[in-house]
Amino acid sequence: MQTLAERAGHAADWATLLWEAAATLPAERLVAAADALTAAGRAEDGEQILRQGVVRPADEIGHAALALADGTRHRELRALLDACVRMRTPQDAARTAAPDPGRLVPLLLTAARAVSEERHWDVLHALRVAGLAA
């Protein structure tokens, strides 16, 4: 499904719009925007906006994850953490747990395990080195 911008020959403008949305929306709203794109048949754009959005500071991603968990928005929480463990280094992903290690470490490890067993061990090791997991 093409956007109006793409049909008019402005695909680069669409990419810029996605990047600007990723840069300006709060992390939890970014997940909602990605969901809306996916629901509109633009799953690739939804994934792209999540990948672009997780380059924010790790503690901001951690606080957004906590807000999503508090709001019982578990599917969005999983999408955010999945993008985080896929796109960031294990060390950066581990820093995401700093705002509340007791709550975020298990969530990060679950997301990492869903990616691969290797990613799970890499993130677990990074969490241990950072002093966030035993």
Side-chain angles (χ1 to χ4, degrees):
M1 171 186 245
Q2 285 189 319
T3 65
L4 180 60
E6 291 168 324
R7 286 192 299 270
H10 299 288
D13 294 340
W14 177 247
T16 301
L17 179 62
L18 286 177
W19 173 250
E20 288 175 356
T24 60
L25 288 174
E28 59 272 9
R29 291 195 53 213
L30 181 74
V31 176
D35 285 345
L37 285 165
T38 300
R42 307 281 309 186
E44 187 174 309
D45 290 333
E47 291 172 16
Q48 179 180 350
I49 201 172
L50 278 176
R51 288 191 305 271
Q52 292 170 337
V54 295
V55 298
R56 302 161 189 267
D59 66 325
E60 185 177 332
I61 298 296
H63 286 292
L66 289 169
L68 290 169
D70 288 344
T72 65
R73 295 169 59 194
H74 301 293
R75 197 194 57 66
E76 291 138 322
L77 171 64
R78 285 190 305 273
L80 180 65
L81 293 180
D82 178 76
C84 180
V85 298
R86 285 179 187 276
M87 302 308 300
R88 298 182 83 126
T89 66
Q91 295 76 19
D92 284 342
R95 284 191 278 281
T96 302
D100 189 342
R103 291 176 61 198
L104 291 171
V105 165
L107 296 170
L108 272 173
L109 290 174
T110 298
R113 181 169 274 136
V115 171
S116 72
E117 196 61 33
E118 180 180 356
R119 189 53 138 187
H120 172 260
W121 287 112
D122 290 345
V123 171
L124 178 59
H125 176 71
L127 287 162
R128 287 178 176 158
V129 169
L132 299 170

